[in-house]
Amino acid sequence: IGLMCIFIAPCATTSFNLASAMDSDADLAAQLVVFTSVCSLGTIFMWIFILAGWESFNEGRVLDINAIRRYHG
């Protein structure tokens, strides 16, 4: 789940600031931030839907959502 959280996260917004400061392609950096942010909205919900279906398919044996909820309060 940790790797999933890393891969569905959007590009860091500081990349635009860094590109501007280094006289690099700030327009491309801004486009990447917008594109990855929009794409991450869809992929986050997709993975939640997939994992929720996976839990019901495996009857909670692989991913125990209730144990995670108890652990986090």
Side-chain angles (χ1 to χ4, degrees), residues 11-32:
C11 179
T13 57
T14 56
S15 62
F16 172 74
N17 296 333
L18 182 63
S20 296
M22 300 295 288
D23 293 327
S24 187
D25 196 357
D27 292 334
L28 177 63
Q31 291 173 2
L32 287 174

Side-chain angles (χ1 to χ4, degrees), residues 2-71:
L3 284 176
M4 179 195 67
C5 292
I6 291 171
F7 288 125
I8 63 175
C11 179
T13 57
T14 56
S15 62
F16 172 74
N17 296 333
L18 182 63
S20 296
M22 300 295 288
D23 293 327
S24 187
D25 196 357
D27 292 334
L28 177 63
Q31 291 173 2
L32 287 174
V33 169
V34 170
F35 179 73
T36 57
S37 297
V38 169
C39 287
S40 71
L41 291 174
T43 55
I44 289 171
F45 290 114
M46 179 190 70
W47 277 108
I48 290 172
F49 180 75
I50 289 172
L51 290 177
W54 183 258
E55 180 199 17
S56 63
F57 177 74
N58 286 314
E59 299 172 358
R61 287 177 286 175
V62 174
L63 180 64
D64 191 1
I65 296 295
N66 292 325
I68 294 171
R69 287 181 184 145
R70 285 191 303 269
Y71 178 76

